[in-house]
Amino acid sequence: MRLAVTVSDDKKKNVLELAKKTFEEKHRGTVIEIETLPREILEQRIQDGNAPDLIEWDGSNIGNLLDWKIIQELTPLLEDGSFDLLDFYPSVLQAVKDQGRVGAIPVMAEVTGVFYNKALFDHAGITYPKENWTWDEFVKKARILNSYDVDGEVIRYGAYLVPRLLPVEPLVWSNGGAFLSEDGMRATGYLDSPETVDTIKRYLEMYHPLEVTPFEDVGRDTWISCFRHKKMAMYYDANWTIKPMGREQQEEFGVVMPPSMGEGPLRNIVQVYGYCISAQCQDVQLAWAFLQELASPHTESGREWAKHNLAVSRTVAEISGQQSDPLYSPFLKSLENARQGAFDVSSMKLWRFWNNDVFQEWIFRENRINIEERLRRIAREYDEMLHT
């Protein structure tokens, strides 16, 4: 018996290899084939009727995948009690469900937060950020923490804002706006709303004219050195940034959830990753058995996911130590009421018009971009694509 499983990167492949080894030892004669497939090739394979048995899920709209008969509904299989759905954090469970149907088993998650260098705050005599803080407080702290040389050039930034769209969306929600309607079917009146426009303008002001965040995209290979060497005092990104830190470095930093730009409390954004059983799978019971080995909090491979990202269940959070970790625990707490963003809800359709490259162009062109007009045009193009 053979079972084909997809993976997109080496980090996930290592967990799959662990599950494969254990599963094949338990089920003699079964071979698990792990295929490294980029998203585009996987989508083509599905269209061609040659889908793998287990499909890596990256957060795409689960209702669409079920409605389009791309994946199996897992609800009947869950009746065997192999997974305790209530053990998953609410936002994680919400991401894999649609109208009572479960389409994926989650394995790890990612949410945003603001890291801060405690020594720099102490030196400046500034209080650490606290939960339910505001965007105005964030800006004020960043401006105080900016440091300049004798020529007025910035030598340390008060903050680092990722020049990408993911961390902007929870700020938009807190300001009463949205990128899309909740069902992902409409952008007009949302992406181009006054609240969304205002949020994006205020985010871009941090680059220019305030100049409290650098223009460049500090990526996974360089961010920790910039932060550790005190080139920036606060860093707004996702929980993946904890992993590159050594234990002593982790003690140097604190973390707080993003500030709210509007009147209400912030609701964080979550990205959830997991696995689905393909609708083309010929041996659903075998695929289900392997999925249990791969994702259950009671297996070694199921717990291994927490070494790479945020735990999706309370059991794994406790076993992995994330629940008691001062850096991880605030992210876990935010999973209680976080929500998926517009790009996941639209299954990345919005990305064709509104993406990181477009956003970074706006940053570099400073105030020469008419934000209202650009967002109005993007919203119109998105709606036309969906409704024509």
Side-chain angles (χ1 to χ4, degrees):
M1 294 182 291
R2 292 181 178 274
L3 199 69
V5 188
T6 67
V7 67
S8 60
D9 60 54
D10 290 341
K11 174 179 66 177
K12 297 170 188 171
K13 188 175 183 179
N14 291 338
V15 185
L16 282 170
E17 292 284 1
L18 177 61
K20 166 186 166 73
K21 180 177 182 297
T22 304
F23 192 79
E24 289 178 347
E25 289 173 354
K26 293 178 181 177
H27 300 78
R28 298 295 181 181
T30 298
V31 176
I32 306 297
E33 296 178 345
I34 301 173
E35 300 180 275
T36 302
L37 292 180
R39 181 190 180 105
E40 298 78 12
I41 296 177
L42 174 59
E43 290 176 350
Q44 188 60 52
R45 288 271 301 273
I46 292 171
Q47 292 177 14
D48 294 342
N50 187 30
D53 300 293
L54 278 178
I55 299 173
E56 180 183 345
W57 175 68
D58 60 2
S60 297
N61 189 305
I62 208 76
N64 289 343
L65 296 177
L66 287 165
D67 292 341
W68 298 336
K69 308 300 183 185
I70 293 173
I71 62 174
Q72 300 266 357
E73 182 182 353
L74 303 181
T75 313
L77 297 170
L78 284 161
E79 292 177 359
D80 66 6
S82 51
F83 291 95
D84 178 6
L85 294 183
L86 296 180
D87 190 36
F88 293 118
Y89 288 98
S91 62
V92 172
L93 183 57
Q94 182 182 27
V96 302
K97 292 182 69 175
D98 176 77
Q99 299 179 0
R101 303 172 298 172
V102 177
I105 299 299
V107 295
M108 60 184 184
E110 197 164 274
V111 291
T112 61
V114 179
F115 294 87
Y116 56 92
N117 189 305
K118 292 186 282 189
L120 294 178
F121 272 74
D122 292 342
H123 181 73
I126 305 173
T127 58
Y128 299 156
K130 296 180 180 180
E131 291 301 314
N132 301 317
W133 60 323
T134 67
W135 182 257
D136 288 342
E137 291 176 281
F138 174 71
V139 174
K140 182 178 179 180
K141 291 179 187 296
R143 296 186 73 175
I144 294 173
L145 289 161
N146 246 36
S147 182
Y148 306 85
D149 63 17
V150 293
D151 297 318
E153 296 294 327
V154 179
I155 56 176
R156 184 189 69 228
Y157 288 96
Y160 175 68
L161 295 180
V162 179
R164 298 194 287 275
L165 287 167
L166 179 70
V168 180
E169 196 165 11
L171 301 176
V172 171
W173 293 333
S174 75
N175 201 24
F179 287 170
L180 295 177
S181 58
E182 286 195 22
D183 61 4
M185 297 301 292
R186 188 170 182 83
T188 301
Y190 297 91
L191 185 62
D192 58 351
S193 70
E195 295 83 4
T196 302
V197 171
D198 175 64
T199 304
I200 292 171
K201 282 184 174 180
R202 291 166 72 182
Y203 196 90
L204 294 175
E205 284 174 356
M206 297 290 281
Y207 297 90
H208 183 87
L210 295 181
E211 295 185 341
V212 293
T213 183
F215 283 79
E216 64 269 17
D217 189 354
V218 179
R220 291 176 182 262
D221 297 330
T222 55
W223 90 267
I224 186 65
S225 60
C226 291
F227 204 21
R228 188 173 64 232
H229 296 302
K230 300 179 174 57
K231 297 295 185 182
M232 55 190 71
M234 293 184 287
Y235 187 92
Y236 180 26
D237 205 334
N239 59 266
W240 67 261
T241 54
I242 301 172
K243 194 173 186 305
M245 299 184 193
R247 176 50 60 182
E248 61 216 25
Q249 294 164 8
Q250 292 184 26
E251 293 175 356
E252 296 176 24
F253 308 129
V255 68
V256 66
M257 293 303 96
S260 175
M261 216 179 249
E263 296 297 325
L266 181 120
R267 189 175 182 186
N268 213 341
I269 188 171
V270 61
Q271 289 184 295
V272 186
Y273 305 88
Y275 275 85
C276 308
I277 298 178
S278 168
Q280 299 173 34
C281 178
Q282 297 300 306
D283 193 336
V284 174
Q285 290 301 323
L286 181 65
W288 180 241
F290 181 69
L291 187 50
Q292 292 174 54
E293 183 66 45
L294 180 64
S296 171
H298 306 296
T299 65
E300 184 181 0
S301 50
R303 296 189 293 268
E304 188 75 9
W305 294 105
K307 295 181 181 178
H308 302 286
N309 221 319
L310 198 62
V312 292
S313 71
R314 294 179 177 85
T315 297
V316 173
E318 183 177 358
I319 293 172
S320 66
Q322 287 188 9
Q323 186 62 66
S324 57
D325 188 289
L327 292 184
Y328 276 105
S329 57
F331 289 105
L332 291 170
K333 183 180 178 181
S334 77
L335 289 177
E336 296 291 343
N337 67 347
R339 59 184 286 197
Q340 285 185 292
F343 299 104
D344 285 336
V345 170
S346 70
S347 296
M348 296 303 288
K349 290 186 180 69
L350 180 60
W351 193 256
R352 303 177 193 178
F353 310 98
W354 178 224
N355 54 50
N356 289 338
D357 290 340
V358 172
F359 190 59
Q360 288 168 17
E361 177 198 358
W362 294 9
I363 292 171
F364 285 115
R365 294 186 63 181
E366 300 173 0
N367 60 353
R368 290 168 289 175
I369 297 291
N370 185 324
I371 303 298
E372 293 94 333
E373 188 277 329
R374 293 294 184 94
L375 291 176
R376 191 178 304 117
R377 186 174 68 190
I378 292 169
R380 184 173 60 249
E381 290 174 349
Y382 177 84
D383 289 350
E384 289 174 353
M385 177 196 69
L386 288 186
H387 303 289
T388 57

